[in-house]
């Protein structure tokens, strides 16, 4: 167990990693984000980062993470980085709003994320995955991450929105790429003032216009008689009741399409990669998958039987969290881990180093799904792939159910032999997207 320095005097400044002139710590982060986060986290539970023009802190102690997200959540708001990244596309969505408007939007979305709603989505998740996988032939070489993205966009559209998106998935994927690129630390245009147009800005505008038009079409169709219990219907009903504007309806559908497919696809890509490295676990999962495939009970009832699959999902989200972290900005002076942080301080709560911290995890870098079978006194926020507190991921139950059902459905009919082209590195952006090409060979 490694002890970490902590503050003894609130006027002291948290430790700061060595940086380079002009770029401070930004360069190390751009080069290898997860390596930088791991090294910096060893300096203390609160670390001040030298990022030019920003008052930025890295917070990696679970109790402090809980303080920011839960106990003192009213002293924090979303970060300027989050607001800037989504501006022009989700200004009226739950992802970027605050205060009364955010509360109203969260409340309007809730009926689409209840336990009953999840049970309704389960069979669609399985059916969509089955149909998708049928197109893979024995011996096919697939671009694994791309296929997983296409699959998760389709599952999300089918299950959550009741929209057949086949053939139009690229509209969503292109906009997501533009967003991730906008926040990419390695992008040369990052250092230019906002008013200088860059190719990234132009691509962003183009893809956003296409996605907006696509969602507008869906809503126009649905505005007529064809209402059900899906998310589009829930939001349009809220509009009819005078609770949401049309811009709010449209931008929340956009937000779901983007937030709801990217992280699950990253997670699925890692799941296939780690299962390929651990054939013993893959065999156990394949057995569970067969039992489920042979049953004629509703998919929502089968989840409890996918115990090892759920543990593999949890363990993969621990070792390879799809998001860089949760970001917040202090709205007033706060004391965190014994340090006084000024109003306006930005906090980055990164999952990667916390999920691998040897103070809370035995053999932290080992892939061991069985650790989820054992009771533990680990602090709650040593694991937070979906964040926590009132602003946590609204799609967390959808995502966990989707990951388990998709894995079981695929394993019931095919095996994937995975190859990664080079060391596993990640895009330095809001999503920790794998950078090397990841291919899989299909065996039916
Ligand atoms: C493995 C899959 C997923 C992971 C790891 C993940 C993770 C996260 C994280 C870390 C946040 C930030 C919360 C915060 O700022 O405190 C978030 C927010 C959000 N997620 Fe997810 N997510 C996943 C899947 C989904 C899915 C499937 C949906 C929709 C169906 C979704 C919709 C959202 C939305 C709308 C927000 C913003 C919530 C708000 O600000 O109130 N996510 N997610």
């Amino acid at each position: 167990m490694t002890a970490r320095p902590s503050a003894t005097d609130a006027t002291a400044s948290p430790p700061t990693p060595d940086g380079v002139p002009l770029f401070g710590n930004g360069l190390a982060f751009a080069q290898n984000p997860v390596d930088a986060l791991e090294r910096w986290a060893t300096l203390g539970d609160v670390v001040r980062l030298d990022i030019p023009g920003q008052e930025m802190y890295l917070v990696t102690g679970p109790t402090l993470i809980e303080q920011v997200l839960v106990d003192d959540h009213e002293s924090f708001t979303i970060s300027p980085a989050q607001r800037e990244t989504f501006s022009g596309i989700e200004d009226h969505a739950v992802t970027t709003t605050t205060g009364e408007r955010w509360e109203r939007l969260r409340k309007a979305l809730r009926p689409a994320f209840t336990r009953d709603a999840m049970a309704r989505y389960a069979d669609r998740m399985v059916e969509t995955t089955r149909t998708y996988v049928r197109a893979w032939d024995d011996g096919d070489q697939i671009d694994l991450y791309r296929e997983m993205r296409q699959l998760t966009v389709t599952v999300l559209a089918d299950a959550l929105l009741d929209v057949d998106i086949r053939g139009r998935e690229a509209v969503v994927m292109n906009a997501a790429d533009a967003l991730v690129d906008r926040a990419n630390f390695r992008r040369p245009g990052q250092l230019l003032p906002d008013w200088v147009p860059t190719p990234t800005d132009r691509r962003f505008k183009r893809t956003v216009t296409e996605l907006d038009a696509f969602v507008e079409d869906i809503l126009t169709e649905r505005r007529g008689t064809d209402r059900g219990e899906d998310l589009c219907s829930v939001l349009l009903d809220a509009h009819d009741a005078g609770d949401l504007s049309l811009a709010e309806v449209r931008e929340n559908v956009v937000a779901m399409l983007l937030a709801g497919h990217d992280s699950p696809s990253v997670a699925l890509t890692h799941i296939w990669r780690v299962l390929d490295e651990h054939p013993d676990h893959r065999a156990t999962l394949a057995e569970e998958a067969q039992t489920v495939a042979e049953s004629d009970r509703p998919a929502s009832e089968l989840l409890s039987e996918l115990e090892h699959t759920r543990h593999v999902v949890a363990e993969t989200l621990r070792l390879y969290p799809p998001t860089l972290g949760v970001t917040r900005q202090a709205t007033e002076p706060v004391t965190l881990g014994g340090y006084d942080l000024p109003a306006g301080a930005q906090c980055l709560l990164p999952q990667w180093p916390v999920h691998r911290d040897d103070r809370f995890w035995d053999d932290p870098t080992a892939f061991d799904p069985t650790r989820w079978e054992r009771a533990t006194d680990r602090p709650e926020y040593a694991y937070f792939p979906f964040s926590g507190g009132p602003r946590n991921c609204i799609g967390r139950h959808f995502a966990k159910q989707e990951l388990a059902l998709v894995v079981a459905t695929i394993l019931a009919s095919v095996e994937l032999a995975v190859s990664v082209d080079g060391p596993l590195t990640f895009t330095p952006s809001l999503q920790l997207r794998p950078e090397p090409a990841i291919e899989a060979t299909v065996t039916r």
Side-chain angles (χ1 to χ4, degrees), residues 69 78 82 90 93-97 102 106 109 113 156 160 252 255-265 267 313 317 321-323 325-328 351 384-400 402-403 431:
L69 295 179
I78 56 173
Q82 181 165 344
E90 294 179 23
V94 71
T95 41
T96 35
T97 48
W102 172 79
R106 249 333 253 224
L109 289 164
F113 292 96
L156 185 89
L160 188 69
N252 279 291
M256 288 306 150
L257 279 167
L258 296 174
H261 90 276
D262 222 353
S263 291
S265 67
V313 169
L317 290 174
T323 58
V326 181
T327 55
R328 290 288 188 270
Q351 286 100 355
F384 64 115
F386 297 101
S387 185
R391 202 156 187 148
N392 63 358
C393 173
I394 198 169
R396 64 200 179 283
H397 299 305
F398 185 99
K400 284 192 269 188
E402 174 190 25
L403 294 177
Q431 290 293 126

Side-chain angles (χ1 to χ4, degrees), residues 248-274:
E248 287 171 339
V249 172
R250 189 185 63 244
E251 294 192 17
N252 279 291
V253 174
V254 166
M256 288 306 150
L257 279 167
L258 296 174
H261 90 276
D262 222 353
S263 291
S265 67
V266 172
L268 281 169
T269 304
H270 289 303
I271 290 174
W272 298 118
R273 210 176 45 70
V274 291

Side-chain angles (χ1 to χ4, degrees), residues 36-64:
L37 290 172
E38 269 194 290
R39 276 187 290 115
W40 297 340
T42 60
L43 298 177
D45 284 344
V46 182
V47 169
R48 187 178 190 282
L49 295 181
D50 175 13
I51 305 286
Q54 306 198 23
E55 185 79 20
M56 172 81 81
Y57 297 84
L58 189 70
V59 182
T60 53
T63 48
L64 304 182

